Amino acid sequence: MQTIGLIGGMSWESTALYYKLINERVRDRMGKLHSAPLLLYSYDFEAIKQMQYAGRWTEAAASLAEVARRLESAGARAIVLCTNTMHKLAPDIVSIVTVPFIHIGDATAQRIRAKGYRRVGLLGTMFTMEEDFYIDRLRAHDLDVLVPPTEARADVNRIIYDELCLGVVADPSRRRYREVMAALVAAGAECIILGCTEITMLVGPDDTSVETFDTTAIHAETAADFAIG
């Protein structure tokens, strides 16, 4: 198997899921005592959050690119960034490494297109829902992307940062997400992208009338498949 380099800690709650899901996938495909060869760099997420909200994206890009370079130097044969939001800086990582960068948006879009869907509802941080870096990546796969209205986006974002990233899973927040997803379906969404790696902690297939696509699981499975070859 090939070694995967993981850039995690954003948040560690979802990075723990990556570790679990990648190794489960390897075990299920290869059997016996097989597990994935992984290198992990885990950030202090508070420092990253401060960069995000202060708009210090150049500083964050330099940091992530350097971590990716170090993982490659340590033997990683592919890089996996364990967060949707920070894929805003994917080009900076790609520019500095020579090994493949497994993009979470591509992996998710390919899974959706394989199911025959075209119009998708997107949940994520405000950066993911409001900026072009993620939505344009999905559109490149011929997907039509719907996002919640302003007030709903604020609620979705707040729950991610103030609750899920801290390991808090609350029933009122689950009800709010269900309302937001129902509104997206009513607006024509054929499926829902859980476009933040923490959202899977709160809602899943039983919380909406359409199919959900868990970006954490899809990304982890894609990484595991690359490792196996």
Side-chain angles (χ1 to χ4, degrees), residues 14 16 20 36 48 69 112 114 117 148 166 187 201 208 213 222-223:
S14 62
K20 178 176 183 287
I48 294 293
R69 186 196 64 77
I112 291 169
Y117 300 121
L166 299 174
M201 299 164 56
T208 181
F213 288 84
T222 304

Side-chain angles (χ1 to χ4, degrees), residues 14 97 130 144 158 223:
S14 62
V97 297
E130 295 179 358
D144 182 17
R158 175 188 56 78

Side-chain angles (χ1 to χ4, degrees), residues 17-67:
L17 287 175
Y18 269 89
Y19 186 83
K20 178 176 183 287
L21 292 167
I22 289 171
N23 280 298
E24 286 179 344
R25 178 77 162 190
V26 170
R27 178 199 63 198
D28 292 346
R29 285 196 55 193
M30 299 188 70
K32 298 183 180 179
L33 296 178
H34 285 293
S35 58
L38 301 171
L39 295 170
L40 168 64
Y41 183 92
S42 187
Y43 270 94
D44 172 6
F45 189 35
E46 178 62 27
I48 294 293
K49 181 188 174 185
Q50 294 300 325
M51 292 181 196
Q52 290 175 339
Y53 277 80
R56 289 155 45 207
W57 293 106
T58 300
E59 182 181 348
S63 178
L64 264 66
E66 174 59 18
V67 166

Side-chain angles (χ1 to χ4, degrees), residues 43-206:
Y43 270 94
D44 172 6
F45 189 35
E46 178 62 27
I48 294 293
K49 181 188 174 185
Q50 294 300 325
M51 292 181 196
Q52 290 175 339
Y53 277 80
R56 289 155 45 207
W57 293 106
T58 300
E59 182 181 348
S63 178
L64 264 66
E66 174 59 18
V67 166
R69 186 196 64 77
R70 287 160 55 189
L71 288 170
E72 181 180 7
S73 296
R77 300 279 63 87
I79 301 297
V80 171
L81 180 57
C82 304
T83 159
N84 284 276
T85 298
M86 298 308 284
H87 273 70
K88 175 183 175 77
L89 306 178
D92 299 275
I93 296 174
V94 171
S95 70
I96 205 169
V97 297
T98 62
V99 297
F101 177 83
I102 302 175
H103 198 291
I104 195 168
D106 291 339
T108 301
Q110 288 161 6
R111 189 74 64 90
I112 291 169
R113 293 296 287 147
K115 288 293 191 76
Y117 300 121
R118 188 171 178 275
R119 200 166 203 208
V120 302
L122 174 63
L123 301 182
T125 67
M126 64 179 184
F127 306 105
T128 300
M129 292 185 290
E130 295 179 358
E131 298 187 21
D132 292 335
F133 73 93
Y134 199 90
I135 292 174
D136 281 352
R137 197 83 183 197
L138 299 174
R139 287 173 176 160
H141 293 267
D142 198 29
L143 294 176
D144 182 17
V145 183
L146 304 178
V147 297
T150 303
E151 182 179 349
R153 292 200 303 269
D155 287 341
V156 170
N157 184 79
R158 175 188 56 78
I159 290 165
I160 290 169
Y161 280 99
D162 294 351
E163 298 178 18
L164 300 179
C165 287
L166 299 174
V168 176
V169 178
D171 285 337
S173 297
R174 181 177 290 110
R175 288 194 292 271
R176 180 57 176 145
Y177 267 55
R178 286 173 174 169
E179 291 172 358
V180 173
M181 290 190 291
L184 286 170
V185 173
E190 300 168 335
C191 61
I192 302 291
I193 297 175
L194 307 182
C196 177
T197 51
E198 282 78 25
I199 292 178
T200 184
M201 299 164 56
L202 183 65
V203 293
D206 295 334

